[in-house]
Amino acid sequence: MNIVTEHITIKNEVLTLTNQRAIYWDSQKALILSDVHIGKTAHFRRHGIPMPDDILQKDLERLQQLVTHFKAEQLLIVGDLFHAEFNIDMSTFKNWHSQFEDLQLVLIRGNHDSLSKRLMDDFNIRVETALVSEPFIFIHEHSAKYPETFTISGHTHPGVLIKGKGKQKLKLPCYQVASNQLILPAFSLFTGLNTKSKPDGAVCYAFTDSSIFKFE
């Protein structure tokens, strides 16, 4: 896996964007990501929709390499770590987490995170509705009720649409960075891309396997 980085400074804090759908915040030793949707493929299979078995495994392999690469001590997930009711994918994630003895998991509860507190405790996950870690507040979906604080969120699965010659079009995931917020791309590869909404004045950092592009 090729990890490409782009450093940006927000509120005097350096955030490292990666082409692997996660941000590293060095001063907090935190890897920040959103919308992992663990359990989505198993949920679909349970309802008779055939899904490849290796989708989750590929996501977790990427996450393992990111944690190792940055030597992260904290995994901050800005919503939708899980997708549905308890299923076998959750056990797979629990086994994955067991390889990291000191990696702290903090989840900002998203609209899909419906597992019980007992299960979250069993997974050793700290759950918050919103998390203030100066100078940021982490929430799943951006809200106007925090006008004075820079928010970092997910939820919308942002992407950009690049038009080429003729009818050629390419969709890429991206980070959206505006004056008072940053929206993360969905971490899971098994998600769609929303290319139709963008905060006012936002700059998009789109990426491929080999590079990161800035779009004004």
Side-chain angles (χ1 to χ4, degrees), residues 9-75:
T9 301
I10 298 174
K11 303 293 184 180
N12 296 317
E13 290 288 334
V14 176
L15 301 177
T16 302
L17 312 182
T18 77
N19 68 329
Q20 298 299 332
R21 302 174 178 238
I23 291 174
Y24 184 62
W25 186 8
D26 183 62
S27 70
Q28 300 298 314
K29 305 299 180 188
L31 193 65
I32 306 166
L33 58 149
S34 184
D35 297 280
V36 190
H37 289 283
I38 294 167
K40 186 175 182 179
T41 52
H43 175 77
F44 280 11
R45 286 195 296 270
R46 180 180 290 179
H47 289 81
I49 302 172
M51 288 288 154
D53 293 331
D54 64 345
I55 291 175
L56 175 60
Q57 195 59 46
K58 288 180 178 179
D59 284 343
L60 293 180
E61 286 174 0
R62 286 170 42 239
L63 187 52
Q64 185 271 332
Q65 291 184 57
L66 284 164
V67 171
T68 301
H69 176 80
F70 288 107
K71 298 180 174 60
E73 297 176 1
Q74 181 180 179
L75 195 59

Side-chain angles (χ1 to χ4, degrees), residues 61-98:
E61 286 174 0
R62 286 170 42 239
L63 187 52
Q64 185 271 332
Q65 291 184 57
L66 284 164
V67 171
T68 301
H69 176 80
F70 288 107
K71 298 180 174 60
E73 297 176 1
Q74 181 180 179
L75 195 59
L76 181 53
I77 302 162
V78 193
D80 287 354
L81 171 60
F82 301 112
H83 182 79
E85 71 283 349
F86 183 86
N87 59 44
I88 192 172
D89 283 355
M90 282 68 166
S91 296
T92 299
F93 175 73
K94 184 178 180 181
N95 291 334
W96 174 90
H97 181 218
S98 67

